[in-house]
Amino acid sequence: MKIRSVVAPACLALGVTLYYVFVVSAGTFTRWPTYTNFSDLQAEGFRAGHLHLSQAPLPALLAQTNPRDPIHGPLWLWDASLYNGQYYMYWGPVPSLLLAAAKAGLRFNKEVGDQVPAFSFLVLWWATTALLIFRIGPAFGQTKNRWPLFVAAAVTAVATPIPFLLARAAIYETGIAAGQFFLVLGVLCGLYAMQAPRSALQSRWLWAAGTVWALGLGSRITLLPTIGLLTLVVAAAVPAPERFWRGRIPRWIKMAIPLVLAMAALGYYNRLRFGSWTDFGTNHQLSWMLFKWDRIFVPYNTFAYLLRP
């Protein structure tokens, strides 16, 4: 019976992984197209002991009066942030830090395209999502008949936008995939905290949720509103014998401490690179599609997200 209970999940996991390999390799299984290699450039920068990318700007670009003028596009490292004569990333540093640790641990020094970390994070995201589905299944009466859970996990694996992210696995998709993996893993830790039988075990899972979500912020800072809301939801949902606020506030603090530390670390990381705690690098980006923040966008984006057909 135990063997039978393992076969179906193993077959599903193998099938999903093979499908992901098929898509990320453009159907070849062996040759994975490389679109960008920013994660590796930043990882090698970290390994060399500095915060800028390991690729230096061309002298011809630095000699220009305005290197960010699109007329100099052929000289650019597209979408990098150029500041004080060096290239930087405006994406979160966590995927590159993990890649640097993996390369150091494996003593691997060859270039790694962004398709590799993007694929890895998407596989981890799906595995975590499948665990979450099977964990909450019994709450909806799925105790004996588990096939609906397998169907849900399979549909999740191929739902939009996963195939697109795999088919174009560049630095943008790496940041998205890493952020979503840590986001869902934090939700799973929060669920374990809700279901933990002892207060001490609850505390460990709450610390774990906060730490994982901190890594999510270090991968994709735009997750901050979502993660902030989830910390409140989890703190309110964890059972506590005390009064509501007396029991929930310490639980919220346990999750908030890693998040606050992560925000402080990211701010200091920005200050070391760009001289500002809040400058993530988008102000120095080499692109003609610049990220801009303006309150005039709020009503239009709200309509687009909620009401646009």
Side-chain angles (χ1 to χ4, degrees), residues 292-308:
K292 294 293 183 182
W293 296 88
D294 198 307
R295 60 187 178 185
I296 197 173
F297 299 148
V298 173
Y300 297 102
N301 286 337
T302 301
F303 171 78
Y305 276 105
L306 301 179
L307 300 174
R308 185 176 179 181

Side-chain angles (χ1 to χ4, degrees), residues 70-229:
I71 197 173
H72 305 307
L75 302 176
W76 288 352
L77 174 60
W78 176 261
D79 239 2
S81 297
L82 180 64
Y83 185 78
N84 279 351
Q86 297 291 349
Y87 282 138
Y88 296 89
M89 285 201 322
Y90 62 81
W91 301 279
V94 167
S96 296
L97 286 169
L98 294 176
L99 179 59
K103 292 182 73 173
L106 297 173
R107 297 183 179 180
F108 184 82
N109 296 313
K110 293 184 179 180
E111 180 183 297
V112 177
D114 285 313
Q115 72 275 14
V116 175
F119 167 84
S120 302
F121 281 120
L122 283 173
V123 170
L124 291 170
W125 163 83
W126 176 79
T128 306
T129 302
L131 284 174
L132 185 61
I133 289 172
F134 279 90
R135 189 74 181 184
I136 65 177
F140 295 93
Q142 298 296 332
T143 54
K144 295 182 179 180
N145 184 12
R146 291 160 55 90
W147 286 109
L149 304 180
F150 283 100
V151 172
V155 169
T156 302
V158 298
T160 301
I162 304 306
F164 172 81
L165 297 178
L166 285 165
R168 190 195 175 284
I171 183 60
Y172 319 94
E173 290 72 23
T174 299
I176 293 170
Q180 290 304 114
F181 163 60
F182 290 121
L183 181 69
V184 176
L185 183 58
V187 171
L188 185 62
C189 292
L191 183 61
Y192 285 146
M194 296 176 201
Q195 299 175 343
R198 300 190 308 276
S199 178
L201 200 55
Q202 287 179 357
S203 297
R204 294 171 189 170
W205 283 117
L206 291 173
W207 278 110
T211 302
V212 168
W213 281 332
L215 293 173
L217 292 178
S219 303
R220 197 180 184 203
I221 189 60
T222 51
L223 290 173
L224 180 60
T226 303
I227 289 175
L229 178 61

Side-chain angles (χ1 to χ4, degrees), residues 274-288:
F274 305 120
S276 169
W277 290 78
T278 58
D279 189 349
F280 285 83
T282 55
N283 295 326
H284 316 289
Q285 164 185 13
L286 295 178
S287 171
W288 53 76

